[in-house]
Amino acid sequence: EKKYEKFIFFGDGSVGDHAITVDYANRFYESTKIPSLILMKNSSPFLTDLFIPYRNHIGYMDMSGMGRFIKIINLAVSSIFHDYCYLDIIPHRATFSYKMFAYFIRFFTKSRFVGFNLENTKNFPQGRGSCYFLGKYNYIPPNLDKEYFHEQANRMLKFLGFYDVERTPQLDYIKQEDIFDKYEIKEKEYLVFHLCSSHPDRTLPTDRWNKIISTLRTELPNTKFVFTGGSLDYKFTDEVLANIPSPNNVLAYSLPMQELLTLYANSKATVTVHTGNAILMNMLHIPLVVLNIRGINIFKRYFSENTIELTSNDGCTCNPFEEECSMVNYKGVNYMACLFNIKDEDVIEATLKKFRE
C-alpha cells in the first residue's frame, strides 16, 4: 500500500459523470482518509455546489478557459515532488495533450496515473484501449457489462492496495427549507418528473408523455406534479402539459444544486429518464421510477432498492459499446428502441405503485 498525498480525478462537466466522480472521491476518502481534487473541464456553480457537504475532503479546480494551461503546468511540476494519484475512471477518447500529460506523470514524476482501460470495442480496438498509454501496470479492465460504478470504484481501491467500501452510492445535501413555500408544496406529498435527457433519443415523445401525465392527473387530481429540468427544457414540458391545465402543475427549472436535491429528497416519488439526474435521485435512495436504456451495468440506475427500472428488449439488440443502438423513428425523430418500446401503462402503473407505497 502506497501512501498518496492526494487523489486527482477528471470531471467532464456532465451531471451524471460528476455524481459518479463525487462518489469515488467519498469512497476513497472513507477507505484511505486521503483528500481528493477534481479537475473540472466545464465548471459551474450548479456542479460545484454538489461538493458543499464534502468540502473538508473534496476540492475542485476549474480547468475551463485559457488559464487551464498554466494550471496543467503547475500540476505537472508539483507532481514531480509529490505523491499524487491521478485516476481515469470513465473511459473516453484521450486527446493528444491528455496523453502527453499522462506520459509526463508516468515517466518524470513521483506521482502515479491509473485508470480503467476499455478495449476490444467499436471505438477501442484490442491493444489500443482507452488508456493503454498508462502502461499495463497502471490500468485494469472496466468490466462495464458486469459491474455498477461503485463496484468498479471498490475494485480500483483494491488495485491500489486499499480496502473497499461496501455500501451503495449515497449523497448528502443541505436541506433548503424555503423551497417548499416557494413552490407551495408539502414534504412527501408531491410527485417529481424529470423527463428530458441531454440526448433527445433517451426519452419518450411529448405526445406519449402527455397521455401518461393526463392519466396520472386523473388518478391523482389534488397532487402537486413538479417538473424539473434545465433552461432548454421548457418547450418540451409545454408540449407534455398541452391540454392538461392544472394549478397543481409546478415548473421548477434551473434550480441551484442544493435546492434541486432538496426537492428530490423530500418528494413522495420521482419519475425520470436515462440522465445524470437519475444518478442523483438514486444516490438519495428515494422512491423512483427510471425509464432506462438497455445494456451494460454502468448505465443502470437501480442500485437503490427504492427504484423501479423500466426498459424494453423489443426491437433492441444493442450494446452501446459494441455496435450501433437500435432506433425507432417516430414523427421524424429517432428514439432508442429500448426506451420507445416501454408501454405507457407500465409507466403509469409503476408511478402509482411508488407514489402509493
Side-chain angles (χ1 to χ4, degrees), residues 61 111 118 214 266 355:
M61 184 180 291
S111 298
L118 180 64
S214 181
N266 295 279
F355 188 81

Side-chain angles (χ1 to χ4, degrees), residues 179-186 224 250:
I179 200 168
F180 305 110
D181 290 335
K182 178 180 178 181
Y183 291 112
E184 298 180 348
I185 53 179
K186 295 182 179 179
K224 293 277 190 178
V250 177

Side-chain angles (χ1 to χ4, degrees), residues 183-186 189-195 209-228 237 240-241 244-253 263 267-271 348 351-352 355-356:
Y183 291 112
E184 298 180 348
I185 53 179
K186 295 182 179 179
E189 293 186 12
Y190 57 92
L191 181 60
V192 171
F193 296 89
H194 188 94
L195 306 182
W209 278 121
N210 180 270
K211 294 176 183 175
I212 292 168
I213 300 298
S214 181
T215 302
L216 290 171
R217 175 52 73 204
T218 301
E219 291 283 337
L220 304 168
N222 300 315
T223 299
K224 293 277 190 178
F225 288 3
V226 181
F227 296 84
T228 64
T237 306
V240 167
L241 294 178
I244 316 177
S246 173
N248 291 320
N249 294 334
V250 177
L251 299 185
Y253 277 25
L263 196 64
S267 65
K268 187 71 166 64
T270 55
V271 180
I348 295 165
T351 303
L352 291 174
F355 188 81
R356 290 168 173 167

Side-chain angles (χ1 to χ4, degrees), residues 123-142:
N123 292 322
F124 301 105
Q126 188 73 34
R128 301 286 290 183
S130 59
C131 61
Y132 71 93
F133 48 87
L134 298 181
K136 63 180 180 180
Y137 298 110
N138 294 312
Y139 63 70
I140 54 178

Side-chain angles (χ1 to χ4, degrees), residues 55-336:
R55 282 179 173 166
N56 67 316
H57 62 272
I58 300 179
Y60 73 92
M61 184 180 291
D62 183 355
M63 304 302 286
S64 60
M66 296 302 294
R68 70 183 182 277
F69 297 109
I70 296 174
K71 294 173 183 177
I72 289 170
I73 292 171
N74 287 338
L75 274 174
V77 172
S78 181
S79 298
I80 297 173
F81 308 103
H82 294 275
D83 289 312
Y84 300 147
C85 183
Y86 293 84
L87 292 116
D88 188 330
I89 62 172
I90 298 174
H92 60 97
R93 285 189 178 278
T95 63
F96 177 78
S97 58
Y98 185 87
K99 291 178 182 177
M100 291 302 99
F101 180 78
Y103 280 131
F104 182 85
I105 298 301
R106 177 182 171 189
F107 292 113
F108 300 106
T109 75
K110 291 179 64 178
S111 298
R112 189 179 184 188
F113 205 133
V114 300
F116 291 109
N117 187 50
L118 180 64
E119 62 180 351
N120 199 27
T121 70
K122 64 180 181 182
N123 292 322
F124 301 105
Q126 188 73 34
R128 301 286 290 183
S130 59
C131 61
Y132 71 93
F133 48 87
L134 298 181
K136 63 180 180 180
Y137 298 110
N138 294 312
Y139 63 70
I140 54 178
N143 293 350
L144 300 180
D145 57 337
K146 300 175 183 177
E147 295 177 329
Y148 299 109
F149 68 80
H150 59 285
E151 294 171 332
Q152 291 175 314
N154 281 334
R155 189 157 52 86
M156 181 59 78
L157 275 169
K158 290 180 178 179
F159 175 69
L160 293 172
F162 303 105
Y163 69 84
D164 58 357
V165 178
E166 289 298 333
R167 62 160 176 79
T168 54
Q170 60 193 39
L171 191 62
D172 293 333
Y173 71 99
I174 309 300
K175 192 173 183 180
Q176 308 296 298
E177 299 284 357
D178 293 347
I179 200 168
F180 305 110
D181 290 335
K182 178 180 178 181
Y183 291 112
E184 298 180 348
I185 53 179
K186 295 182 179 179
E187 295 181 49
K188 303 302 180 183
E189 293 186 12
Y190 57 92
L191 181 60
V192 171
F193 296 89
H194 188 94
L195 306 182
C196 293
S197 174
S198 55
H199 300 272
D201 55 5
R202 295 181 182 180
T203 187
L204 299 178
T206 54
D207 57 356
R208 287 185 56 191
W209 278 121
N210 180 270
K211 294 176 183 175
I212 292 168
I213 300 298
S214 181
T215 302
L216 290 171
R217 175 52 73 204
T218 301
E219 291 283 337
L220 304 168
N222 300 315
T223 299
K224 293 277 190 178
F225 288 3
V226 181
F227 296 84
T228 64
S231 59
L232 301 178
D233 299 334
Y234 282 103
K235 183 176 182 294
F236 187 93
T237 306
D238 282 346
E239 293 179 13
V240 167
L241 294 178
N243 303 314
I244 316 177
S246 173
N248 291 320
N249 294 334
V250 177
L251 299 185
Y253 277 25
S254 302
L255 296 181
M257 177 61 76
Q258 293 301 318
E259 286 191 13
L260 185 66
L261 295 178
T262 298
L263 196 64
Y264 290 157
N266 295 279
S267 65
K268 187 71 166 64
T270 55
V271 180
T272 188
V273 293
H274 177 86
T275 177
N277 288 59
I279 301 180
L280 298 178
M281 295 170 183
N282 232 315
M283 290 174 72
L284 292 168
H285 295 268
I286 56 180
L288 175 62
V289 177
V290 181
L291 281 67
N292 204 11
I293 69 173
R294 181 175 173 264
I296 56 183
N297 273 9
I298 194 173
F299 290 138
K300 297 193 175 181
R301 303 290 184 256
Y302 59 69
F303 51 78
S304 165
E305 294 180 356
N306 259 342
T307 298
I308 295 177
E309 183 190 50
L310 300 176
T311 190
S312 175
N313 295 329
D314 263 359
C316 180
T317 58
C318 66
N319 177 325
F321 282 98
E322 302 278 342
E323 53 192 279
E324 295 301 321
C325 294
S326 306
M327 309 298 286
V328 175
N329 188 277
Y330 178 77
K331 295 184 178 180
V333 180
N334 285 327
Y335 298 90
M336 295 182 73

